[in-house]
Amino acid sequence: MIIVHMKNSIYKLTKSQVPAFEFKGTSMIDINSIIDRFNNDFSYNKAMDSLNSVNIAHGTSHDELAGFVMREQIVSFQVLKFANDMRPGKVSSISSAINMLGSNLIVEKFNTDRKAAEHKACYLNAFERLNYQKQSLFCAKATKALTKIIDKSGKLNHETAFLIGLLSTIGNILILSFHPEMHYSKHFVPHKYPWDIQKNITSVDQYEVAAELLSSWNIPKEITLPIKHLSQARNIDASPYIKQLFVGTLMSLTFVYAEHFNLENILDESIAKLIGIPLLDLQHIYKDCAKLTVDHLSKQIPTSF
């Protein structure tokens, strides 16, 4: 039996309910243990290794600093966590975090901590790290782009939409880091969404894992709810951002796993109807976000988010 522990629940699967494959490691996923291990290894100080060739000058504007922080997924995670440690559940954007903390404090941490920083917990190989960097950044850009189009009232925060997309992939990193044999990418099934595959293996999907981690960081529900309920986006309206995240995630699958997910099959009229954007426009958004992500990763536009 595979047992999946979460803070408020225990999910169980018998072997007959799990797709046939041989587990090479443990058969238990303890979410609390994974979160503790992740938090220890990906502490604020150790998140700075991605900045090891950069010095940020004091006096850097808030906008420039926000763009710089949001270039790196882990740094964005940790700045948001740092701010919500001080004001639990209140800070839902990097700009708000910088305004609250002050740019000098952020700069001081970057330039002091990066010298000794290492990702001790980054058990992902270089290819997997690049895939999840690509997926998170693409999903962030797509979620923001879709939000800008459908936000007729102007009430939605576009930076929050970006962060929702960026943070949504963290559950993948936890599962791949500590239980890679149980991750959906090892068990692709034709015509099945990754979250359905993941749920068949462990009874919880990667987005529920992500939401559990983010909740432990006191990240606002405005961010955690659409991530937690992403797989149910067709049926429930848990957040004004959930449909954008869902469609952005679908697009990101084609961008990262083109051999498994064809754009024409992923984006169809039912998806266009769900989000209220013509199919042709969705295809153009995909192309724009793909180009922006490639440019961003090559650091041609380092402060853009």
Side-chain angles (χ1 to χ4, degrees):
M1 177 177 292
I2 298 172
I3 304 176
V4 181
H5 292 264
M6 298 188 74
K7 288 187 176 179
N8 299 316
S9 307
I10 297 180
Y11 300 85
K12 298 182 180 180
L13 282 180
T14 64
K15 288 186 177 179
S16 63
Q17 293 173 294
V18 181
F21 64 92
E22 180 181 355
F23 288 115
K24 296 180 180 179
T26 177
S27 61
M28 176 181 290
I29 292 182
D30 186 330
I31 297 298
N32 292 333
S33 174
I34 287 177
I35 288 175
D36 289 343
R37 190 173 177 186
F38 183 87
N39 283 335
N40 288 335
D41 289 341
F42 280 91
S43 67
Y44 188 95
N45 291 352
K46 293 167 186 158
M48 297 304 112
D49 73 323
S50 58
L51 310 176
N52 60 7
S53 62
V54 180
N55 283 303
I56 310 174
H58 284 277
T60 299
S61 74
H62 282 198
D63 286 347
E64 289 177 325
L65 187 57
F68 182 82
V69 168
M70 294 179 77
R71 185 199 305 174
E72 296 291 343
Q73 184 189 52
I74 295 298
V75 179
S76 296
F77 292 161
Q78 298 298 342
V79 169
L80 202 62
K81 177 183 183 297
F82 186 45
N84 280 284
D85 282 345
M86 300 176 68
R87 294 190 63 202
K90 300 295 184 182
V91 185
S92 59
S93 73
I94 297 299
S95 297
S96 297
I98 293 173
N99 286 334
M100 185 186 81
L101 300 170
S103 59
N104 285 342
L105 177 59
I106 301 293
V107 170
E108 182 179 345
K109 279 187 167 291
F110 282 161
N111 291 333
T112 299
D113 297 337
R114 67 180 176 82
K115 297 176 182 178
E118 294 181 359
H119 268 329
K120 292 185 178 180
C122 198
Y123 305 114
L124 312 189
N125 62 44
F127 179 74
E128 288 170 334
R129 290 187 69 181
L130 178 60
N131 270 352
Y132 284 99
Q133 187 181 14
K134 286 168 59 179
Q135 186 174 17
S136 66
L137 191 54
F138 182 99
C139 192
K141 290 181 180 297
T143 303
K144 178 184 175 183
L146 294 165
T147 297
K148 289 174 72 174
I149 292 174
I150 70 172
D151 181 24
K152 307 300 184 185
S153 66
K155 293 181 179 179
L156 299 182
N157 186 309
H158 299 168
E159 186 184 328
T160 297
F162 184 98
L163 276 174
I164 290 168
L166 192 74
L167 295 169
S168 64
T169 61
I170 191 67
N172 285 315
I173 295 176
L174 266 70
I175 298 172
L176 265 176
S177 293
F178 305 115
H179 296 285
E181 76 284 358
M182 297 186 189
H183 190 257
Y184 73 82
S185 62
K186 314 297 183 183
H187 311 282
F188 273 121
V189 177
H191 312 301
K192 288 200 71 173
Y193 289 140
W195 43 89
D196 293 329
I197 298 171
Q198 190 66 61
K199 208 138 192 169
N200 284 339
I201 299 170
T202 57
S203 83
V204 291
D205 64 49
Q206 60 270 34
Y207 299 103
E208 293 170 306
V209 174
E212 190 80 7
L213 173 67
L214 296 173
S215 295
S216 78
W217 287 359
N218 297 314
I219 304 301
K221 289 184 178 180
E222 184 179 15
I223 290 175
T224 61
L225 278 179
I227 295 173
K228 180 177 181 178
H229 297 292
L230 179 142
S231 64
Q232 306 168 60
R234 290 177 181 270
N235 305 313
I236 64 173
D237 194 12
S239 159
Y241 298 98
I242 191 169
K243 289 182 173 60
Q244 302 93 287
L245 177 62
F246 178 71
V247 176
T249 300
L250 292 180
M251 292 179 174
S252 74
L253 295 176
T254 296
F255 184 67
V256 177
Y257 297 113
E259 69 276 23
H260 296 289
F261 300 99
N262 183 278
L263 183 63
E264 286 71 27
N265 293 332
I266 284 286
L267 294 182
D268 57 22
E269 290 295 346
S270 69
I271 297 299
K273 182 177 180 181
L274 175 72
I275 199 166
I277 298 175
L279 182 57
L280 185 60
D281 289 351
L282 289 179
Q283 293 168 347
H284 286 312
I285 292 170
Y286 171 83
K287 292 177 182 178
D288 290 344
C289 290
K291 183 180 185 305
L292 284 171
T293 301
V294 171
D295 288 346
H296 197 136
L297 290 172
S298 64
K299 299 184 180 179
Q300 292 177 16
I301 48 172
T303 60
S304 172
F305 62 88

